[in-house]
Structure formats: C-alpha cells, structure tokens
Amino acid sequence: MVKVYTIQSCPWCEKVKKYLASRGVNFTAFDVEKDAAARYACIKLTGMDGAVPVVTADDKTYVLDFDKEQIDKLLGI
C-alpha cells in the first residue's frame, strides 16, 4: 500500500497527491498534524519530525519532497 504523509498547508503535498493520482497510483494520505499515529509512523520511518511530503510503499524506503523521478523509482512506475 502506498502511503503519503502530509499536512494541510503544504503545496508540495498536494502536488505529490495529484501526481500519484495522474499516474493511476492508489494511495492513502495521512495528515500528520491531525493523526498522532501517522505522525509517529512518519517519524519512525524518516527519523525527522515535520518533514513532508513523504511517500512510501513498504514502510522501509521513502521519498521526501516532490521528486517525480525518485517517486517513480520507488514505486516501479
């Protein structure tokens, strides 16, 4: 399952979600400002608090920020 960790006021988070949707990728978005469990999971994954957007497909590797090339590589698309 592809996960995107976001916050509401982040334009790059919106770009990541729109990009994934345009590529036909099913994903679940988690707002780390409103969901404490998602925030903890994001911190555990990245080692950083407040770094968004974060895209992961395996909860082990991730892409930070809106980097199309790295997102495609991570997801194999």
Side-chain angles (χ1 to χ4, degrees):
M1 174 176 72
V2 177
K3 298 177 184 175
V4 181
Y5 295 101
T6 69
I7 60 173
Q8 286 186 349
S9 61
C10 171
W12 297 109
C13 297
E14 288 305 311
K15 288 179 188 243
V16 165
K17 292 187 284 186
K18 287 179 182 178
Y19 178 70
L20 292 174
S22 76
R23 300 285 297 195
V25 175
N26 292 322
F27 65 91
T28 303
F30 296 91
D31 185 333
V32 298
E33 289 180 314
K34 294 182 177 185
D35 184 338
R39 181 175 177 222
Y40 173 76
C42 189
I43 293 169
K44 184 177 176 186
L45 176 65
T46 65
M48 298 177 274
D49 188 7
V52 291
V54 173
V55 179
T56 185
D58 61 6
D59 292 323
K60 295 176 186 166
T61 55
Y62 64 92
V63 174
L64 176 62
D65 210 357
F66 181 49
D67 184 330
K68 291 179 187 179
E69 183 179 316
Q70 290 301 314
I71 292 169
D72 290 353
K73 184 178 176 182
L74 175 75
L75 302 178
I77 54 175

